[in-house]
Amino acid sequence: MAEDKEVTIYDIAKHLNLSAATVSRGLKGSSLINKNTRKKIQDAAKALGYRSNTFASNLRSKQSLTLGVLTPRLNSHFVSAALAGMEDVASKEGYRLIISQSLEEVEKEKLNAQNMFNNRVDGLLVSLAANTESLEHFEPFFNRRIPVVFFDRVANHPDSISVVIDNYTAAYNVTKHLIEQGCTRIMHLGGNLLRNVYSDRLRGFKDALKEHDLPLPAKFHQVSNLSSEAGTQAAEWILSLPPDKRPDAVFSANDTAAVFCMLRLKAAGIKIPEQIAFAGFNNDPISLVIEPNLTTVDYSGYNIGQTAAKNLINHLKGVIDIFMTDAISLRAELIVRASSMRKTSDVRREK
Amino acid sequence: MAEDKEVTIYDIAKHLNLSAATVSRGLKGSSLINKNTRKKIQDAAKALGYRSNTFASNLRSKQSLTLGVLTPRLNSHFVSAALAGMEDVASKEGYRLIISQSLEEVEKEKLNAQNMFNNRVDGLLVSLAANTESLEHFEPFFNRRIPVVFFDRVANHPDSISVVIDNYTAAYNVTKHLIEQGCTRIMHLGGNLLRNVYSDRLRGFKDALKEHDLPLPAKFHQVSNLSSEAGTQAAEWILSLPPDKRPDAVFSANDTAAVFCMLRLKAAGIKIPEQIAFAGFNNDPISLVIEPNLTTVDYSGYNIGQTAAKNLINHLKGVIDIFMTDAISLRAELIVRASSMRKTSDVRREK
């Protein structure tokens, strides 16, 4: 069938009665070919359905101009923002992005890494699955010096770099803010401690308590997947305590768990922030819909994605050597809203 | 440098003192080779950093096993759900997804389509930009019989198929529900009418009004980008009207505009649903956080993505011929919540 035959520069040359060399130069926009001829060549290429041979020439040059992206889930507010930032950079620089998701399972992450390797990606952008413990599945990349950039959920390896926010300081600042608001029994809803984002946030939380000589009562640090159901369950647990044993503040490692915990407590008549103050993390859209609006930490998934892709591509172009760098840390900002404002004076208000 | 030299089956053969043919069979897991030898070959391939030649063999077979995805924005709740569904199908079938976004601009969509064409994707999955009017930039695909599957924001073309929900009926049902709740002055917040999703929802809305002999007062259909700001502005406009000229219901073509319109009206003391009932579209997470919870239309971006990818891949495998099909319509369900329940009897409650 006609659609199976690939149009070559020889077909265009024959069609226009020109030499193949002239057609090749014309397609590349060479100034050696006069403008009208160039236009004629390009029009004919379009009409005949010619495809530039990016694919074959990539094979010859041993570059695929392709970056592989390993994510825990595509269906996430943070990941979609990061992908948008990566695409912005990659498309301007002539790179393609191939995407995959582990669904939080290290076994799928291993398969995805292997596929990316076999498909000869020029580099990898990786955010780890919840249960990844070893980096062995990235060894083929490290061994061949194929650059690996971890983002958000990162790991330390001398042959990679990480793009992160300072989760420790952000969590420390959230906790300090709650203490300044007069809270003394602060509960933390955290995530899987294998991942830096959650272990760093827990450390920041604990250090702020310690510095202010505040205790961490038993079960006031709970680990879950931070889903809406986990938030509701945390609220049920709080309601099961005698009123004087309840926390007077909850710091959740994401907004989803915070918001659904608030909704359940509000339904039970708990006043927020008067009885229990709340803070989350991520500045998701829901944090501006819940009433009172949720105090949270804002950082840009879009910027993290841009920065990760920019560094990877600059390394591939030889502009920088990312193997010299260990980590790049981006800004994260505490946004104080009504959910944690127990004092009317002395609070930082949102701009 | 060592990392630049590609390991071949000959290197593995030499390393193990076996023939290249044996190594090749061993790598493919052939039962002609005994199990221990197969394991030895596969271990050596791993240790030496051998990559299967997916890339080169794709070039020979004229298949890239790659699908191109054109989206309006990666940073969207719907698009990320659709991508997750596509990845689920594609990864099981051995296909890769290359992603791109138009940022709602037809010019970037044209560039993205051209890049996908030059990179020899086996097929395209497309959701159109806000301002796309002609399909000319897809002609190279149509001409070469490279299958194009439109999803969500679709267009009619004999050489493509569309995966959609029945937006007309969904909007008709939302409007009918509001009328059954006693609303007679219903306002519609709509999107760009170039896109089927918004023009079909408007038709469903208008037909339901007409069937119930209800008027559409001037400016009770407003077009915007349906952002949170657009929702707030719609509320300001409503508040600028004398109370007896205000709508008694608002049907928004997405949840974002509905929710931010509600927040602004609530702040001005308007009672929802008693004074103004509300319904949105999409069942985004915010619809369960706003109080009262928002009546909306639920449909699965994940299912739309899965269905689109499954049909594309089945066509490429010769299992089905998508050129025979015009459109595939998936289920959309009205979810009635407190934001529109003005009557306590006779309402369908959420399961």
Side-chain angles (χ1 to χ4, degrees):
Chain A
M1 287 190 294
E3 64 258 27
D4 285 327
K5 197 169 164 305
E6 193 67 44
V7 175
T8 68
I9 58 168
Y10 301 99
D11 298 320
I12 303 171
K14 198 173 160 192
H15 182 76
L16 295 174
N17 206 11
L18 292 170
S19 77
T22 302
V23 170
S24 172
R25 289 198 189 100
L27 286 171
K28 284 176 190 148
S30 162
S31 56
L32 294 172
I33 310 298
N34 96 38
K35 208 177 143 189
N36 292 338
T37 311
R38 259 186 292 169
K39 173 140 178 34
K40 217 161 66 181
I41 292 168
Q42 282 160 3
D43 289 348
K46 207 167 172 183
L48 295 172
Y50 171 77
R51 299 193 281 192
S52 85
N53 48 4
T54 318
F55 193 73
S57 69
N58 289 345
L59 187 66
R60 284 195 299 272
S61 71
K62 290 192 173 181
Q63 280 185 10
S64 65
L65 294 174
T66 301
L67 309 178
V69 190
L70 304 188
T71 71
R73 323 194 149 265
L74 293 165
N75 201 351
S76 127
H77 184 71
F78 169 78
V79 168
S80 61
L83 283 179
M86 291 173 188
E87 198 275 350
D88 175 54
V89 172
S91 69
K92 283 175 187 150
E93 299 284 350
Y95 282 80
R96 289 179 296 282
L97 295 178
I98 298 183
I99 54 170
S100 69
Q101 57 186 348
S102 65
L103 302 174
E104 302 287 10
E105 286 299 332
V106 64
E107 291 306 320
K108 176 121 199 278
E109 185 174 281
K110 285 181 188 173
L111 273 177
N112 293 339
Q114 182 65 43
N115 283 333
M116 297 290 181
F117 187 73
N118 288 338
N119 284 299
R120 285 164 167 64
V121 294
D122 290 344
L124 269 196
L125 297 151
V126 181
S127 187
L128 292 168
N131 62 348
T132 301
E133 300 196 42
S134 132
L135 295 183
E136 207 188 346
H137 46 304
F138 298 110
E139 288 296 335
F141 296 90
F142 298 146
N143 291 341
R144 294 188 72 84
R145 308 288 284 172
I146 299 168
V148 175
V149 177
F150 290 103
F151 66 98
D152 193 47
R153 296 178 178 191
V154 304
N156 281 323
H157 191 285
D159 293 334
S160 74
I161 68 164
S162 294
V163 178
V164 286
I165 59 162
D166 184 345
N167 287 286
Y168 171 85
T169 302
Y172 178 90
N173 288 340
V174 169
T175 313
K176 188 158 164 278
H177 159 71
L178 292 170
I179 295 168
E180 285 167 2
Q181 292 297 308
C183 303
T184 56
R185 298 176 53 79
I186 308 177
M187 180 173 174
H188 181 53
L189 308 182
N192 187 327
L193 296 179
L194 280 176
R195 294 285 66 82
N196 63 300
V197 292
Y198 301 119
S199 59
D200 289 354
R201 288 173 202 176
L202 177 64
R203 278 196 305 117
F205 167 70
K206 283 186 168 172
D207 281 2
L209 291 188
K210 202 179 292 176
E211 270 182 38
H212 293 80
D213 293 320
L214 289 177
L216 179 58
K219 296 195 183 168
F220 268 40
H221 165 228
Q222 299 194 351
V223 170
S224 74
N225 62 0
L226 296 169
S227 62
S228 53
E229 292 76 18
T232 307
Q233 275 164 24
E236 306 279 6
W237 183 79
I238 291 170
L239 291 170
S240 76
L241 299 173
D244 64 326
K245 299 287 184 209
R246 289 177 187 161
D248 57 10
V250 173
F251 164 36
S252 170
N254 80 4
D255 289 343
T256 301
V259 160
F260 282 84
C261 188
M262 287 169 76
L263 286 169
R264 179 69 190 87
L265 292 176
K266 281 172 70 180
I270 303 281
K271 296 258 171 295
I272 297 166
E274 295 79 359
Q275 292 175 275
I276 306 184
F278 264 86
F281 211 107
N282 289 353
N283 199 18
D284 279 346
I286 50 171
S287 69
L288 278 169
V289 173
I290 185 76
E291 292 168 293
N293 280 187
L294 181 64
T295 291
T296 189
V297 175
D298 180 63
Y299 63 100
S300 167
Y302 192 89
N303 287 352
I304 289 179
Q306 273 192 320
T307 304
K310 216 174 266 173
N311 278 278
L312 183 52
I313 291 170
N314 280 341
H315 176 85
L316 292 170
K317 289 174 150 184
V319 178
I320 55 166
D321 181 358
I322 57 173
F323 296 128
M324 306 286 287
T325 311
D326 184 35
I328 295 171
S329 183
L330 299 184
R331 194 182 304 279
E333 190 185 5
L334 172 63
I335 298 188
V336 175
R337 299 195 183 116
S339 72
S340 65
M341 290 205 242
R342 282 153 69 109
K343 296 186 173 171
T344 43
S345 62
D346 189 38
V347 293
R348 279 160 285 180
R349 292 199 146 263
E350 188 177 1
K351 284 157 292 191
Chain B
M1 288 191 294
E3 64 260 26
D4 286 324
K5 198 172 164 303
E6 191 67 44
V7 175
T8 67
I9 57 169
Y10 301 99
D11 298 320
I12 303 172
K14 199 172 157 193
H15 182 77
L16 294 174
N17 207 9
L18 291 170
S19 76
T22 302
V23 170
S24 172
R25 287 196 191 103
L27 287 171
K28 285 176 189 147
S30 162
S31 55
L32 295 173
I33 311 296
N34 96 38
K35 209 177 147 192
N36 291 338
T37 311
R38 259 185 292 170
K39 173 137 178 34
K40 215 160 65 179
I41 292 168
Q42 281 160 4
D43 288 348
K46 209 166 173 185
L48 295 172
Y50 171 77
R51 301 194 280 192
S52 85
N53 50 4
T54 318
F55 193 73
S57 70
N58 290 345
L59 187 67
R60 283 195 299 272
S61 73
K62 290 193 173 180
Q63 279 186 12
S64 64
L65 295 175
T66 301
L67 309 178
V69 190
L70 304 187
T71 71
R73 322 194 149 266
L74 292 166
N75 203 351
S76 128
H77 183 73
F78 170 77
V79 169
S80 61
L83 282 179
M86 289 172 188
E87 199 274 351
D88 174 55
V89 172
S91 70
K92 283 176 187 148
E93 300 283 351
Y95 281 80
R96 289 180 297 282
L97 295 178
I98 299 182
I99 53 170
S100 69
Q101 58 186 349
S102 64
L103 302 174
E104 302 286 9
E105 284 302 332
V106 65
E107 291 307 320
K108 175 122 200 280
E109 183 174 284
K110 284 180 188 172
L111 273 177
N112 292 340
Q114 183 65 43
N115 282 334
M116 296 291 180
F117 187 72
N118 287 338
N119 284 299
R120 285 163 167 65
V121 295
D122 290 343
L124 268 194
L125 296 151
V126 182
S127 187
L128 292 167
N131 62 349
T132 301
E133 300 197 42
S134 129
L135 295 184
E136 207 189 342
H137 45 303
F138 298 109
E139 287 297 334
F141 296 88
F142 299 146
N143 291 340
R144 293 189 73 86
R145 308 287 284 172
I146 299 168
V148 177
V149 176
F150 290 103
F151 66 97
D152 193 48
R153 296 174 175 197
V154 304
N156 281 321
H157 190 285
D159 293 334
S160 74
I161 68 162
S162 295
V163 178
V164 287
I165 58 162
D166 184 346
N167 287 285
Y168 170 87
T169 303
Y172 177 91
N173 289 341
V174 170
T175 313
K176 188 159 164 278
H177 159 70
L178 293 169
I179 296 168
E180 285 168 359
Q181 292 297 308
C183 303
T184 56
R185 298 176 53 79
I186 308 176
M187 179 170 174
H188 181 52
L189 308 181
N192 187 325
L193 297 179
L194 279 176
R195 294 284 66 82
N196 62 299
V197 291
Y198 301 120
S199 59
D200 289 354
R201 288 172 202 177
L202 178 64
R203 278 197 305 116
F205 168 70
K206 284 187 169 171
D207 280 3
L209 292 187
K210 202 177 293 172
E211 270 183 37
H212 293 81
D213 293 319
L214 288 177
L216 179 58
K219 296 194 184 168
F220 267 40
H221 165 228
Q222 299 194 352
V223 170
S224 74
N225 62 1
L226 298 168
S227 63
S228 52
E229 294 76 19
T232 308
Q233 275 165 27
E236 305 280 4
W237 182 79
I238 291 169
L239 292 169
S240 75
L241 299 173
D244 65 326
K245 299 287 183 208
R246 289 178 187 161
D248 56 11
V250 174
F251 164 35
S252 170
N254 80 4
D255 289 342
T256 301
V259 159
F260 283 83
C261 189
M262 286 168 76
L263 285 169
R264 179 70 191 86
L265 292 176
K266 281 173 69 181
I270 302 279
K271 296 258 174 296
I272 296 168
E274 295 78 1
Q275 290 175 278
I276 307 186
F278 264 86
F281 211 105
N282 289 352
N283 198 18
D284 278 348
I286 51 171
S287 69
L288 277 170
V289 174
I290 185 76
E291 294 167 293
N293 281 189
L294 181 63
T295 291
T296 188
V297 174
D298 180 65
Y299 62 100
S300 166
Y302 192 90
N303 287 351
I304 289 179
Q306 273 192 320
T307 304
K310 214 172 268 176
N311 278 276
L312 183 51
I313 290 171
N314 280 340
H315 176 85
L316 291 169
K317 290 176 150 182
V319 178
I320 55 165
D321 180 358
I322 58 174
F323 296 127
M324 306 287 286
T325 311
D326 184 33
I328 296 171
S329 184
L330 299 184
R331 193 181 305 278
E333 189 185 6
L334 172 63
I335 298 190
V336 174
R337 300 196 182 114
S339 73
S340 65
M341 289 204 241
R342 283 153 68 110
K343 295 187 176 172
T344 43
S345 62
D346 191 34
V347 292
R348 277 162 284 180
R349 293 198 146 264
E350 188 178 357
K351 283 158 287 187

